[in-house]
Amino acid sequence: MRLWKILFAGVGLSLSAALAQTTLTIATVNNPDMVTMQKLSGEFEKKYPNIKLNWVVLPENELRQKVTTDIATNAGSYDVLTIGTYETPIWGKNGWLVEMSGLPQNYDLEDVLKPVRAGLSYNGKLYALPFYAESSMLMYRKDLFAAKKIAVPAQPTWDQAISWAKQLNEPSKGIYGICLRGLPGWGENMAFLTTMINTYGGRWFDESWQPQINSPEWKKAIGQYVELVTKYGPPGVTGNGFTENLTLTSDGKCAMWIDATVAAGFLENPKSSKVAGKMGYAKSPVAVTPNGSHWLWSWALAIPKSSKHAEEAKTFIAWATSKDYINLVGSTQGWVSAPPGTRYSTYSNPNYLKAAVFAKTVLDSINTADPTKPTLKPVPYVGVQFVAIPEFQAIGTQVGQFIAGIVAGKTSLEDGLNQAQAAVEKTMKEAGYLK
């Protein structure tokens, strides 16, 4: 009888432990760093056995759509959202996110890069913590450039980049002169293209919110882009976003790639890249102005107000964005794979600096990207590769589709940009920005 009671008590304890367990549903993007986070999350579950993690890993465009719909409708499907410097201040202002206050003492918020913190705040309150942060830069094959006796300066120009693409394009050998994003989306082709338009002297809107899409500056930048991707890039460019170009470059098929600095850690990892040790890094090319030539972005983790497990979600986010997590990645996956761009301590860590030959270029690029002065001419908005207004998500994606149509030869440059201009004018009038 006594033994039966002991056994029953044991069953009761295990049942209560199971009932006390919280499941967090985490929505994230299928970028390599997030795949690593998922892979290492068993360490979190060991440390916090009362919290179980349920992962929803999606391509970038799909993630943005699902997360935006979920939070706008207060559906409550997720406890942790992977969002960026575009959404965070807007959603924080709307009251859709839990403020990131009351963090553990050892979290050391002052160690997080100031420009990154600022980008994830609204009215001085922090609404997300950065998993990694990035700017954009030129990544190139040192061996191919050396063979053509091309020296790359720390700050290249677009004229130089265009010349190099022509010289290095050898599709018969499986080498393309340049790889650039072509997949339509405000955070895909338009993220890259906005920086190109900025440095060519263009802007999305003038000071009165009048769209500038069919301006001479846009025509020059987009015309140059279309020539580059159709003559010196891989086929099927309108299907290539960040992830596809990362694969192409790591397979050795791109002589140059201008994109997110976070890619460098993947390219330098011999486990995932055929070009590890062969890559060089320089700042994003400039044309008529350095303003807005390279972006500032962070993929960050946030908690929607609809989550029923906000405290547990904060515990997970603090773990995934901590110094300890960075050290865990460095010690288990190799220091070149450590999440970049978030903490000053990472850039003073000798292990990271030894492995990450790109570290200085990345840090300089993040620190010099200025979302408050993204263009040559004055603008009424903040944001380098996006416009920080709620309507931009739809506007950017729509314009990205028009530009993909130009690249695919479905419409001329002139007609495509005129159609995009008319569409954005209509949206801005309906939203009340224009009379």
Side-chain angles (χ1 to χ4, degrees), residues 170-396:
E170 296 189 81
S172 61
K173 295 181 180 177
I175 302 287
Y176 301 100
I178 193 164
C179 290
L180 300 171
R181 297 188 191 191
L183 184 68
W186 73 269
E188 282 284 5
N189 63 344
M190 293 317 300
F192 163 74
L193 280 170
T194 300
T195 63
M196 191 171 180
I197 291 156
N198 291 340
T199 195
Y200 271 85
R203 52 188 174 165
W204 273 93
F205 302 98
D206 69 11
E207 291 165 283
S208 302
W209 290 105
Q210 181 63 36
Q212 301 293 297
I213 296 164
N214 57 0
S215 65
E217 294 88 353
W218 270 71
K219 285 175 186 172
K220 186 165 185 186
I222 301 301
Q224 197 62 76
Y225 162 78
V226 172
E227 182 185 355
L228 281 169
V229 296
T230 55
K231 289 187 178 178
Y232 313 112
V237 67
T238 56
N240 293 344
F242 170 80
T243 306
E244 292 77 15
N245 280 321
L246 178 59
T247 301
L248 284 165
T249 307
S250 62
D251 282 346
K253 294 178 180 176
C254 305
M256 278 187 296
W257 180 30
I258 300 162
D259 212 303
T261 55
V262 73
F266 190 87
L267 296 176
E268 291 296 338
N269 187 344
K271 294 175 189 172
S272 56
S273 171
K274 294 176 183 174
V275 295
K278 296 180 181 178
M279 299 299 295
Y281 305 91
K283 289 192 173 179
S284 279
V286 296
V288 302
T289 178
N291 290 21
S293 60
H294 54 287
W295 68 60
L296 178 65
W297 180 258
S298 172
W299 274 119
L301 302 176
I303 306 165
K305 270 283 175 70
S306 56
S307 171
K308 294 179 178 64
H309 311 295
E311 283 308 308
E312 292 90 342
K314 196 176 287 185
T315 299
F316 171 75
I317 292 173
W319 173 83
T321 61
S322 66
K323 292 180 195 177
D324 286 347
Y325 176 80
I326 291 171
N327 289 330
L328 176 65
V329 177
S331 59
T332 61
Q333 311 300 305
W335 275 100
V336 76
S337 301
T342 60
R343 289 183 170 272
Y344 292 109
S345 55
T346 303
Y347 291 89
S348 60
N349 184 323
N351 293 319
Y352 183 71
L353 295 177
K354 185 179 177 184
V357 294
F358 46 81
K360 185 181 184 304
T361 303
V362 173
L363 190 60
D364 286 351
S365 296
I366 289 173
N367 283 332
T368 55
D370 188 353
T372 66
K373 293 178 184 173
T375 52
L376 183 64
K377 296 173 184 174
V379 289
Y381 57 85
V382 171
V384 179
Q385 80 283 22
F386 58 79
V387 176
I389 58 173
E391 295 77 12
F392 184 72
Q393 188 162 349
I395 286 170

Side-chain angles (χ1 to χ4, degrees), residues 25-29 33-34 37 55 63 79-85 88 97-100 103 107 120 126-132 298-304 313-322 325 342:
T25 299
I26 302 165
T28 195
V29 67
D33 287 88
M34 282 70 170
M37 173 171 60
W55 293 86
L63 173 85
D79 299 295
V80 176
L81 308 175
T82 304
I83 59 175
T85 43
T88 304
L97 300 174
V98 174
E99 186 188 344
M100 285 295 175
L103 293 167
Y107 186 79
L120 298 173
L126 192 64
Y127 285 98
L129 294 176
F131 182 66
Y132 69 74
S298 172
W299 274 119
L301 302 176
I303 306 165
K314 196 176 287 185
T315 299
F316 171 75
I317 292 173
W319 173 83
T321 61
S322 66
Y325 176 80
T342 60

Side-chain angles (χ1 to χ4, degrees), residues 138-200:
L138 170 67
M139 298 164 271
Y140 63 95
R141 286 275 300 277
K142 291 187 294 185
D143 54 337
L144 300 179
F145 275 67
K148 298 280 186 182
K149 296 183 170 55
I150 300 170
V152 179
Q155 178 58 80
T157 66
W158 267 107
D159 285 345
Q160 288 173 317
I162 292 159
S163 169
W164 300 334
K166 291 175 182 176
Q167 293 178 65
L168 295 161
N169 190 51
E170 296 189 81
S172 61
K173 295 181 180 177
I175 302 287
Y176 301 100
I178 193 164
C179 290
L180 300 171
R181 297 188 191 191
L183 184 68
W186 73 269
E188 282 284 5
N189 63 344
M190 293 317 300
F192 163 74
L193 280 170
T194 300
T195 63
M196 191 171 180
I197 291 156
N198 291 340
T199 195
Y200 271 85

